Amino acid sequence: MIKNQFVQNKLVLHLMEQEEFELLTTSSNQEEYLLWKTNKRNVDIVRVSLKQFDWNRDVEESVQQIEKNVVQNIQLPLFKQTISFHHVFIVEYEPVDSWSNLMNRESSVNKIDRSFVYLCGQDRDEVLVHFFQKAQLHHPLTFSIPDNLFELEYQTVKLKHQIQHIHKNAEKEILALFNRGKPRLSYLILAINIIIFLLLEYRGGSTNPETLIQYGAKYNVAMMDGEWWRIITSMFLHIGIFHLALNMLALYFIGTLVERIYGSIRFVIVYFLAGIAGGMASFALNPSIAAGASGALFGLFGALLYFGLKNPRVFFQTMGTNVIFIVILNIIFGFSMPQVDNGAHIGGLVGGFIASGIVMLPKTKAFMQQLIAVVIYVFYVFGLLAYGLTNEDVQFDETLQIQRVQQLLEDKQYEEVMEIVTRTLPYADELEAELHFYRAFANIYLESLDLAKSDLETAVEHKPDFEEAWYNLALLYQQENEYDKALQAAEQLLDLNNEESSYQALYQELKRAEN
């Protein structure tokens, strides 16, 4: 039995040292080891066991049980191509009945593509060679078993200690990857978001568009006028308690994880660079008022994906499948919900991934790669800016431009109103009448009364129940002494709303003028 233990531990140590296998689990009495190795999209799992079986069916039951446990309890790579399971039994004797059917069996367990069983008994060396061929191992295993019993026991114990030492060092290295920083800045940013949210609620409500614009929400109209600082300020504003709660939960779990992996300085750089990229993508693709930390938070997912690119084995052993699933789920959800700013999400995700290449993981030096990442990030952000400035479908969105025109009218910038409405009308659909109405206002103040009348006539043609347009059209007709048309417009007003006193007064005045 001690010889089998020696062979078992010699094989396990060889797999760990020479073939880059990692120890997954070991039984309490070290009777059985479970190891694995990922190579691109292929996964090899090796079980090295001293269990002795009397019958073929007992081997089959043990094989099935172990394979089920692995699939249920071990995080396997998401985009795997094949998973091969190798069961190596080092035994004193073989099962009583034939077991040759197990040598290349079809696994009944879902996700296991290939399953092999090797019984190392009297022909141990030959079976191990067969195992090395099937597992495509590159370094042959050669050893001799000590004849002296005390030497054999000593060497066996030594091998066990070596296995445990390598395993513990590997665990320490993995733990070190997740303890490179304390999540102080994550908690600080979380607190700032909550404080600003309470301020918004106190000053008018976090769902009030005017309050959001006043305190720095992403507002394309203002940004086109030079207020680019809104890309940063909008990262700290949230629209409603649910929006805040969802993002702060993500910051609490994902932000602290990224800060532990990257360290505080790298974390905050990634956070803001991702937020800027997300905000710029929102400017380029979304005309609506927007706010929230979602772009920056998706950037943190990008940072985790970058970590997975650099440490694929650890990534998929720990969180990889969950991270990829959450990202895909959120993107699908964003495309299915119109009110979700999916542009900011995807823009932040890509920005965070690139930003991670700029800062790199701790203890990593790759100046040229970092410089390339900086260039890519600059081109990415300025590319989004250039696209946004020329994306007339967004920047001349009718709802957005009406908000802009209203502000310009308050500021008495009538020439600019004329220009904006003229450029927006080709993209208008539901609000074409309102655009003509506001351009008519600008024409009135610019004393272009004929153009004003034309715009108002077009407005009521597109929207027959547009009371304000009818009222101003009646006044213009009156001013131009076109009393018949003015009276018709006033009558239309009364048909729409005969309880409005100003309409009644205008109608009576026009009737008297006509007589």
Side-chain angles (χ1 to χ4, degrees), residues 406-417 445-446:
Q406 290 171 338
Q407 183 62 51
L408 289 170
L409 285 171
E410 288 182 15
D411 297 338
K412 300 181 180 181
Q413 298 182 37
Y414 305 121
E415 294 285 356
E416 195 167 348
V417 169
Y445 284 106
L446 293 171

Short mmCIF file of all heavy atoms in Angstrom, two decimals, residues 406-417 445-446:
data_model
loop_
_atom_site.label_atom_id
_atom_site.label_comp_id
_atom_site.label_asym_id
_atom_site.label_seq_id
_atom_site.Cartn_x
_atom_site.Cartn_y
_atom_site.Cartn_z
N GLN A 406 -36.37 76.71 -26.02
CA GLN A 406 -37.02 77.42 -24.91
C GLN A 406 -36.01 78.22 -24.10
O GLN A 406 -36.27 79.37 -23.71
CB GLN A 406 -37.76 76.42 -24.02
CG GLN A 406 -38.99 75.83 -24.67
CD GLN A 406 -39.59 74.68 -23.87
OE1 GLN A 406 -38.89 74.05 -23.06
NE2 GLN A 406 -40.86 74.39 -24.09
N GLN A 407 -34.85 77.62 -23.85
CA GLN A 407 -33.81 78.32 -23.10
C GLN A 407 -33.27 79.51 -23.89
O GLN A 407 -33.05 80.59 -23.35
CB GLN A 407 -32.67 77.35 -22.78
CG GLN A 407 -31.55 77.95 -21.94
CD GLN A 407 -32.03 78.41 -20.58
OE1 GLN A 407 -32.67 77.65 -19.86
NE2 GLN A 407 -31.75 79.66 -20.23
N LEU A 408 -33.10 79.33 -25.19
CA LEU A 408 -32.59 80.42 -26.03
C LEU A 408 -33.59 81.57 -26.12
O LEU A 408 -33.20 82.75 -26.16
CB LEU A 408 -32.26 79.89 -27.42
CG LEU A 408 -31.04 78.97 -27.51
CD1 LEU A 408 -30.95 78.32 -28.89
CD2 LEU A 408 -29.76 79.73 -27.21
N LEU A 409 -34.88 81.26 -26.15
CA LEU A 409 -35.89 82.32 -26.17
C LEU A 409 -35.85 83.13 -24.88
O LEU A 409 -35.99 84.35 -24.89
CB LEU A 409 -37.28 81.73 -26.39
CG LEU A 409 -37.60 81.26 -27.82
CD1 LEU A 409 -38.92 80.50 -27.87
CD2 LEU A 409 -37.63 82.44 -28.78
N GLU A 410 -35.65 82.41 -23.75
CA GLU A 410 -35.51 83.13 -22.47
C GLU A 410 -34.29 84.05 -22.49
O GLU A 410 -34.32 85.14 -21.92
CB GLU A 410 -35.39 82.14 -21.32
CG GLU A 410 -36.69 81.41 -20.99
CD GLU A 410 -36.54 80.48 -19.81
OE1 GLU A 410 -35.53 80.62 -19.06
OE2 GLU A 410 -37.39 79.61 -19.61
N ASP A 411 -33.24 83.62 -23.18
CA ASP A 411 -32.02 84.43 -23.26
C ASP A 411 -32.05 85.43 -24.42
O ASP A 411 -31.04 86.11 -24.67
CB ASP A 411 -30.80 83.50 -23.42
CG ASP A 411 -30.60 82.59 -22.23
OD1 ASP A 411 -31.10 82.93 -21.14
OD2 ASP A 411 -29.96 81.53 -22.37
N LYS A 412 -33.18 85.47 -25.15
CA LYS A 412 -33.40 86.41 -26.26
C LYS A 412 -32.39 86.22 -27.40
O LYS A 412 -31.98 87.18 -28.06
CB LYS A 412 -33.35 87.86 -25.75
CG LYS A 412 -34.41 88.16 -24.70
CD LYS A 412 -34.35 89.61 -24.24
CE LYS A 412 -35.43 89.88 -23.19
NZ LYS A 412 -35.42 91.29 -22.72
N GLN A 413 -32.01 84.95 -27.64
CA GLN A 413 -31.08 84.65 -28.73
C GLN A 413 -31.90 84.14 -29.93
O GLN A 413 -31.90 82.97 -30.27
CB GLN A 413 -30.05 83.63 -28.27
CG GLN A 413 -29.18 84.11 -27.11
CD GLN A 413 -28.13 83.09 -26.70
OE1 GLN A 413 -27.56 82.40 -27.55
NE2 GLN A 413 -27.86 83.02 -25.41
N TYR A 414 -32.58 85.08 -30.57
CA TYR A 414 -33.58 84.73 -31.58
C TYR A 414 -32.95 84.20 -32.87
O TYR A 414 -33.51 83.30 -33.52
CB TYR A 414 -34.45 85.95 -31.87
CG TYR A 414 -35.09 86.52 -30.63
CD1 TYR A 414 -34.84 87.84 -30.23
CD2 TYR A 414 -35.92 85.74 -29.82
CE1 TYR A 414 -35.41 88.36 -29.08
CE2 TYR A 414 -36.49 86.27 -28.67
CZ TYR A 414 -36.23 87.56 -28.30
OH TYR A 414 -36.79 88.07 -27.16
N GLU A 415 -31.82 84.76 -33.26
CA GLU A 415 -31.16 84.28 -34.47
C GLU A 415 -30.78 82.80 -34.34
O GLU A 415 -30.94 82.02 -35.27
CB GLU A 415 -29.92 85.12 -34.77
CG GLU A 415 -30.19 86.57 -35.14
CD GLU A 415 -30.73 86.71 -36.55
OE1 GLU A 415 -30.82 85.68 -37.26
OE2 GLU A 415 -31.07 87.84 -36.95
N GLU A 416 -30.28 82.44 -33.17
CA GLU A 416 -29.89 81.04 -32.94
C GLU A 416 -31.11 80.13 -32.92
O GLU A 416 -31.05 78.99 -33.38
CB GLU A 416 -29.10 80.92 -31.63
CG GLU A 416 -28.37 79.60 -31.50
CD GLU A 416 -27.35 79.57 -30.39
OE1 GLU A 416 -27.03 80.65 -29.84
OE2 GLU A 416 -26.87 78.48 -30.07
N VAL A 417 -32.23 80.64 -32.39
CA VAL A 417 -33.49 79.87 -32.42
C VAL A 417 -33.87 79.56 -33.86
O VAL A 417 -34.23 78.43 -34.20
CB VAL A 417 -34.61 80.64 -31.71
CG1 VAL A 417 -35.96 79.96 -31.98
CG2 VAL A 417 -34.36 80.72 -30.22
N TYR A 445 -40.14 88.59 -32.86
CA TYR A 445 -39.19 89.48 -32.20
C TYR A 445 -38.18 90.06 -33.18
O TYR A 445 -37.63 91.14 -32.96
CB TYR A 445 -38.48 88.75 -31.07
CG TYR A 445 -39.33 88.58 -29.84
CD1 TYR A 445 -39.87 87.34 -29.53
CD2 TYR A 445 -39.61 89.66 -29.00
CE1 TYR A 445 -40.66 87.17 -28.39
CE2 TYR A 445 -40.40 89.50 -27.88
CZ TYR A 445 -40.92 88.27 -27.58
OH TYR A 445 -41.72 88.11 -26.46
N LEU A 446 -37.96 89.35 -34.28
CA LEU A 446 -37.05 89.86 -35.31
C LEU A 446 -37.81 90.70 -36.35
O LEU A 446 -37.22 91.11 -37.36
CB LEU A 446 -36.33 88.71 -36.00
CG LEU A 446 -35.34 87.92 -35.13
CD1 LEU A 446 -34.86 86.66 -35.85
CD2 LEU A 446 -34.16 88.79 -34.73
#
